[in-house]
Amino acid sequence: MRVEKCYFCSSPCYPGHGIMFVRNDSKTFRFCRSKCHRNFNKKRNPRKVAWTKAYRKTRGKELAVDSTFEFEKRRNRPVKYDRNLMGKTIMAMQRVQDIKERREERFHANRMRDAKPEKVKQARVEIEKHAELLAPAVAQREEVLQNVLDSARARIATRKIKAAEKVVARGGDKMMEE
């Protein structure tokens, strides 16, 4: 069983799924779904379509250069089955996957760290643009805060009264027992 990659979006194409297009020069193109096939037929560039892996890599949103990608390359050379070799290969694949995930997390954290000041800046600009919407909310803030405090005090008072009633009821039970 071989899991191919979609020519357009680079997602996996499992056996029996998707579409295979064979050009006149016998070059084969695998597509995971009709959406990718349609975009290919419309001669769209995957690097310019926002939902593809190629787009994400060209825009710097995903790792583009990493040594772990070397392990994913297809090798068509047949190897005689050896149980020890297969066991070591599977262990190595798991180790490479762990390393790759950690690097991707680090890459994402670095990207987001650089994006946070920009987000704050955009939020400030948005607030300055629509300050007239915030003015009535700020004016009513004291009133709302007072209502919240009053309701919290009322809840605390009712809890204290209920607790006192329970204590009195328990004390009455003890007196009856004696």
Side-chain angles (χ1 to χ4, degrees), residues 78-102:
V79 178
K80 188 176 179 186
Y81 178 76
D82 179 15
R83 186 179 181 130
N84 293 332
L85 179 66
M86 288 299 161
K88 288 178 182 177
T89 302
I90 290 172
M91 295 293 286
M93 286 168 61
Q94 291 170 345
R95 179 90 173 107
V96 167
Q97 187 64 29
D98 291 341
I99 292 169
K100 185 177 174 185
E101 286 173 1
R102 275 190 266 128

mmCIF file of all heavy atoms in Angstrom, residues 78-102:
data_model
loop_
_atom_site.group_PDB
_atom_site.id
_atom_site.type_symbol
_atom_site.label_atom_id
_atom_site.label_comp_id
_atom_site.label_asym_id
_atom_site.label_seq_id
_atom_site.Cartn_x
_atom_site.Cartn_y
_atom_site.Cartn_z
ATOM 1 N N PRO A 78 14.276 -1.670 -4.069
ATOM 2 C CA PRO A 78 13.769 -2.754 -3.224
ATOM 3 C C PRO A 78 14.823 -3.210 -2.218
ATOM 4 O O PRO A 78 16.012 -3.259 -2.524
ATOM 5 C CB PRO A 78 13.425 -3.862 -4.211
ATOM 6 C CG PRO A 78 14.250 -3.591 -5.405
ATOM 7 C CD PRO A 78 14.463 -2.098 -5.455
ATOM 8 N N VAL A 79 14.352 -3.515 -1.004
ATOM 9 C CA VAL A 79 15.243 -3.963 0.059
ATOM 10 C C VAL A 79 14.737 -5.310 0.558
ATOM 11 O O VAL A 79 13.530 -5.493 0.764
ATOM 12 C CB VAL A 79 15.256 -2.942 1.221
ATOM 13 C CG1 VAL A 79 16.150 -3.422 2.350
ATOM 14 C CG2 VAL A 79 15.708 -1.591 0.731
ATOM 15 N N LYS A 80 15.636 -6.259 0.743
ATOM 16 C CA LYS A 80 15.244 -7.563 1.254
ATOM 17 C C LYS A 80 14.750 -7.410 2.688
ATOM 18 O O LYS A 80 15.345 -6.688 3.489
ATOM 19 C CB LYS A 80 16.441 -8.517 1.208
ATOM 20 C CG LYS A 80 16.080 -9.937 1.546
ATOM 21 C CD LYS A 80 17.273 -10.853 1.383
ATOM 22 C CE LYS A 80 16.874 -12.273 1.749
ATOM 23 N NZ LYS A 80 18.018 -13.166 1.734
ATOM 24 N N TYR A 81 13.642 -8.096 3.006
ATOM 25 C CA TYR A 81 13.027 -7.954 4.327
ATOM 26 C C TYR A 81 13.953 -8.491 5.411
ATOM 27 O O TYR A 81 14.490 -9.591 5.317
ATOM 28 C CB TYR A 81 11.691 -8.702 4.367
ATOM 29 C CG TYR A 81 11.028 -8.619 5.726
ATOM 30 C CD1 TYR A 81 10.390 -7.462 6.129
ATOM 31 C CD2 TYR A 81 11.081 -9.693 6.604
ATOM 32 C CE1 TYR A 81 9.801 -7.376 7.370
ATOM 33 C CE2 TYR A 81 10.495 -9.620 7.848
ATOM 34 C CZ TYR A 81 9.846 -8.456 8.237
ATOM 35 O OH TYR A 81 9.267 -8.368 9.472
ATOM 36 N N ASP A 82 14.152 -7.686 6.422
ATOM 37 C CA ASP A 82 14.930 -8.089 7.589
ATOM 38 C C ASP A 82 14.194 -7.539 8.809
ATOM 39 O O ASP A 82 13.972 -6.326 8.923
ATOM 40 C CB ASP A 82 16.342 -7.503 7.496
ATOM 41 C CG ASP A 82 17.203 -7.865 8.692
ATOM 42 O OD1 ASP A 82 16.813 -8.782 9.447
ATOM 43 O OD2 ASP A 82 18.258 -7.221 8.865
ATOM 44 N N ARG A 83 13.820 -8.438 9.716
ATOM 45 C CA ARG A 83 12.992 -8.039 10.862
ATOM 46 C C ARG A 83 13.690 -6.971 11.710
ATOM 47 O O ARG A 83 13.067 -5.985 12.122
ATOM 48 C CB ARG A 83 12.677 -9.269 11.696
ATOM 49 C CG ARG A 83 11.707 -8.986 12.810
ATOM 50 C CD ARG A 83 11.416 -10.251 13.588
ATOM 51 N NE ARG A 83 10.475 -9.959 14.632
ATOM 52 C CZ ARG A 83 9.386 -10.640 14.853
ATOM 53 N NH1 ARG A 83 9.095 -11.677 14.098
ATOM 54 N NH2 ARG A 83 8.580 -10.318 15.831
ATOM 55 N N ASN A 84 14.972 -7.134 11.991
ATOM 56 C CA ASN A 84 15.704 -6.153 12.797
ATOM 57 C C ASN A 84 15.764 -4.794 12.102
ATOM 58 O O ASN A 84 15.598 -3.749 12.732
ATOM 59 C CB ASN A 84 17.126 -6.658 13.090
ATOM 60 C CG ASN A 84 17.119 -7.866 13.991
ATOM 61 O OD1 ASN A 84 16.203 -8.047 14.794
ATOM 62 N ND2 ASN A 84 18.130 -8.713 13.847
ATOM 63 N N LEU A 85 16.011 -4.828 10.794
ATOM 64 C CA LEU A 85 16.079 -3.583 10.022
ATOM 65 C C LEU A 85 14.735 -2.858 10.045
ATOM 66 O O LEU A 85 14.682 -1.639 10.233
ATOM 67 C CB LEU A 85 16.504 -3.872 8.578
ATOM 68 C CG LEU A 85 16.583 -2.649 7.663
ATOM 69 C CD1 LEU A 85 17.696 -1.721 8.121
ATOM 70 C CD2 LEU A 85 16.803 -3.084 6.231
ATOM 71 N N MET A 86 13.640 -3.613 9.892
ATOM 72 C CA MET A 86 12.305 -2.995 9.910
ATOM 73 C C MET A 86 12.016 -2.387 11.278
ATOM 74 O O MET A 86 11.459 -1.292 11.377
ATOM 75 C CB MET A 86 11.227 -4.026 9.557
ATOM 76 C CG MET A 86 11.221 -4.421 8.118
ATOM 77 S SD MET A 86 10.890 -2.995 7.075
ATOM 78 C CE MET A 86 11.484 -3.568 5.532
ATOM 79 N N GLY A 87 12.376 -3.091 12.333
ATOM 80 C CA GLY A 87 12.170 -2.565 13.689
ATOM 81 C C GLY A 87 12.935 -1.275 13.909
ATOM 82 O O GLY A 87 12.393 -0.293 14.442
ATOM 83 N N LYS A 88 14.199 -1.256 13.481
ATOM 84 C CA LYS A 88 15.014 -0.050 13.623
ATOM 85 C C LYS A 88 14.459 1.090 12.771
ATOM 86 O O LYS A 88 14.472 2.259 13.180
ATOM 87 C CB LYS A 88 16.466 -0.341 13.236
ATOM 88 C CG LYS A 88 17.197 -1.189 14.248
ATOM 89 C CD LYS A 88 18.614 -1.471 13.782
ATOM 90 C CE LYS A 88 19.335 -2.369 14.762
ATOM 91 N NZ LYS A 88 20.683 -2.716 14.305
ATOM 92 N N THR A 89 13.965 0.738 11.578
ATOM 93 C CA THR A 89 13.409 1.754 10.687
ATOM 94 C C THR A 89 12.177 2.407 11.313
ATOM 95 O O THR A 89 12.033 3.636 11.284
ATOM 96 C CB THR A 89 13.027 1.129 9.325
ATOM 97 O OG1 THR A 89 14.188 0.527 8.769
ATOM 98 C CG2 THR A 89 12.484 2.168 8.377
ATOM 99 N N ILE A 90 11.316 1.584 11.893
ATOM 100 C CA ILE A 90 10.103 2.130 12.522
ATOM 101 C C ILE A 90 10.460 3.012 13.710
ATOM 102 O O ILE A 90 9.883 4.092 13.899
ATOM 103 C CB ILE A 90 9.153 0.987 12.921
ATOM 104 C CG1 ILE A 90 8.570 0.361 11.648
ATOM 105 C CG2 ILE A 90 8.045 1.487 13.831
ATOM 106 C CD1 ILE A 90 7.770 -0.885 11.871
ATOM 107 N N MET A 91 11.418 2.581 14.512
ATOM 108 C CA MET A 91 11.866 3.402 15.646
ATOM 109 C C MET A 91 12.439 4.732 15.153
ATOM 110 O O MET A 91 12.167 5.789 15.726
ATOM 111 C CB MET A 91 12.913 2.649 16.469
ATOM 112 C CG MET A 91 12.386 1.401 17.148
ATOM 113 S SD MET A 91 11.186 1.772 18.417
ATOM 114 C CE MET A 91 12.248 2.390 19.683
ATOM 115 N N ALA A 92 13.225 4.667 14.077
ATOM 116 C CA ALA A 92 13.821 5.887 13.524
ATOM 117 C C ALA A 92 12.727 6.814 12.979
ATOM 118 O O ALA A 92 12.804 8.036 13.146
ATOM 119 C CB ALA A 92 14.818 5.534 12.428
ATOM 120 N N MET A 93 11.703 6.234 12.331
ATOM 121 C CA MET A 93 10.614 7.051 11.795
ATOM 122 C C MET A 93 9.883 7.782 12.923
ATOM 123 O O MET A 93 9.546 8.976 12.793
ATOM 124 C CB MET A 93 9.631 6.166 11.017
ATOM 125 C CG MET A 93 10.160 5.705 9.679
ATOM 126 S SD MET A 93 9.172 4.414 8.916
ATOM 127 C CE MET A 93 7.611 5.204 8.719
ATOM 128 N N GLN A 94 9.648 7.087 14.033
ATOM 129 C CA GLN A 94 8.983 7.726 15.173
ATOM 130 C C GLN A 94 9.839 8.845 15.748
ATOM 131 O O GLN A 94 9.330 9.917 16.085
ATOM 132 C CB GLN A 94 8.669 6.687 16.246
ATOM 133 C CG GLN A 94 7.588 5.710 15.832
ATOM 134 C CD GLN A 94 7.454 4.556 16.798
ATOM 135 O OE1 GLN A 94 8.321 4.319 17.632
ATOM 136 N NE2 GLN A 94 6.357 3.822 16.683
ATOM 137 N N ARG A 95 11.128 8.604 15.841
ATOM 138 C CA ARG A 95 12.045 9.618 16.375
ATOM 139 C C ARG A 95 12.079 10.855 15.463
ATOM 140 O O ARG A 95 12.041 11.991 15.933
ATOM 141 C CB ARG A 95 13.451 9.006 16.484
ATOM 142 C CG ARG A 95 14.497 9.933 16.981
ATOM 143 C CD ARG A 95 14.621 9.893 18.478
ATOM 144 N NE ARG A 95 15.764 10.677 18.910
ATOM 145 C CZ ARG A 95 15.637 11.851 19.502
ATOM 146 N NH1 ARG A 95 14.457 12.344 19.764
ATOM 147 N NH2 ARG A 95 16.710 12.526 19.850
ATOM 148 N N VAL A 96 12.136 10.627 14.154
ATOM 149 C CA VAL A 96 12.141 11.734 13.198
ATOM 150 C C VAL A 96 10.835 12.521 13.306
ATOM 151 O O VAL A 96 10.834 13.757 13.257
ATOM 152 C CB VAL A 96 12.370 11.211 11.760
ATOM 153 C CG1 VAL A 96 12.061 12.266 10.733
ATOM 154 C CG2 VAL A 96 13.798 10.730 11.601
ATOM 155 N N GLN A 97 9.719 11.811 13.475
ATOM 156 C CA GLN A 97 8.418 12.483 13.602
ATOM 157 C C GLN A 97 8.385 13.357 14.853
ATOM 158 O O GLN A 97 7.877 14.484 14.816
ATOM 159 C CB GLN A 97 7.293 11.431 13.645
ATOM 160 C CG GLN A 97 5.914 12.012 13.611
ATOM 161 C CD GLN A 97 5.612 12.751 12.315
ATOM 162 O OE1 GLN A 97 6.146 12.428 11.266
ATOM 163 N NE2 GLN A 97 4.775 13.744 12.402
ATOM 164 N N ASP A 98 8.911 12.869 15.967
ATOM 165 C CA ASP A 98 8.964 13.662 17.201
ATOM 166 C C ASP A 98 9.797 14.920 16.997
ATOM 167 O O ASP A 98 9.398 16.024 17.398
ATOM 168 C CB ASP A 98 9.563 12.843 18.344
ATOM 169 C CG ASP A 98 8.643 11.717 18.794
ATOM 170 O OD1 ASP A 98 7.435 11.789 18.485
ATOM 171 O OD2 ASP A 98 9.144 10.783 19.457
ATOM 172 N N ILE A 99 10.964 14.752 16.372
ATOM 173 C CA ILE A 99 11.847 15.904 16.122
ATOM 174 C C ILE A 99 11.147 16.925 15.231
ATOM 175 O O ILE A 99 11.180 18.127 15.497
ATOM 176 C CB ILE A 99 13.174 15.434 15.487
ATOM 177 C CG1 ILE A 99 13.981 14.626 16.500
ATOM 178 C CG2 ILE A 99 13.977 16.606 14.957
ATOM 179 C CD1 ILE A 99 15.166 13.890 15.909
ATOM 180 N N LYS A 100 10.470 16.424 14.186
ATOM 181 C CA LYS A 100 9.777 17.305 13.247
ATOM 182 C C LYS A 100 8.672 18.090 13.948
ATOM 183 O O LYS A 100 8.519 19.307 13.746
ATOM 184 C CB LYS A 100 9.194 16.457 12.108
ATOM 185 C CG LYS A 100 8.553 17.245 11.005
ATOM 186 C CD LYS A 100 8.073 16.312 9.914
ATOM 187 C CE LYS A 100 7.311 17.053 8.865
ATOM 188 N NZ LYS A 100 6.740 16.158 7.875
ATOM 189 N N GLU A 101 7.885 17.417 14.807
ATOM 190 C CA GLU A 101 6.800 18.096 15.528
ATOM 191 C C GLU A 101 7.348 19.178 16.446
ATOM 192 O O GLU A 101 6.795 20.279 16.513
ATOM 193 C CB GLU A 101 5.991 17.072 16.324
ATOM 194 C CG GLU A 101 5.094 16.215 15.454
ATOM 195 C CD GLU A 101 4.433 15.089 16.229
ATOM 196 O OE1 GLU A 101 4.654 14.984 17.467
ATOM 197 O OE2 GLU A 101 3.703 14.316 15.603
ATOM 198 N N ARG A 102 8.442 18.875 17.168
ATOM 199 C CA ARG A 102 9.022 19.872 18.059
ATOM 200 C C ARG A 102 9.521 21.086 17.281
ATOM 201 O O ARG A 102 9.336 22.227 17.705
ATOM 202 C CB ARG A 102 10.162 19.265 18.876
ATOM 203 C CG ARG A 102 9.645 18.577 20.131
ATOM 204 C CD ARG A 102 10.758 18.183 21.065
ATOM 205 N NE ARG A 102 11.090 16.797 20.756
ATOM 206 C CZ ARG A 102 12.303 16.344 20.503
ATOM 207 N NH1 ARG A 102 13.341 17.140 20.527
ATOM 208 N NH2 ARG A 102 12.512 15.076 20.218
#
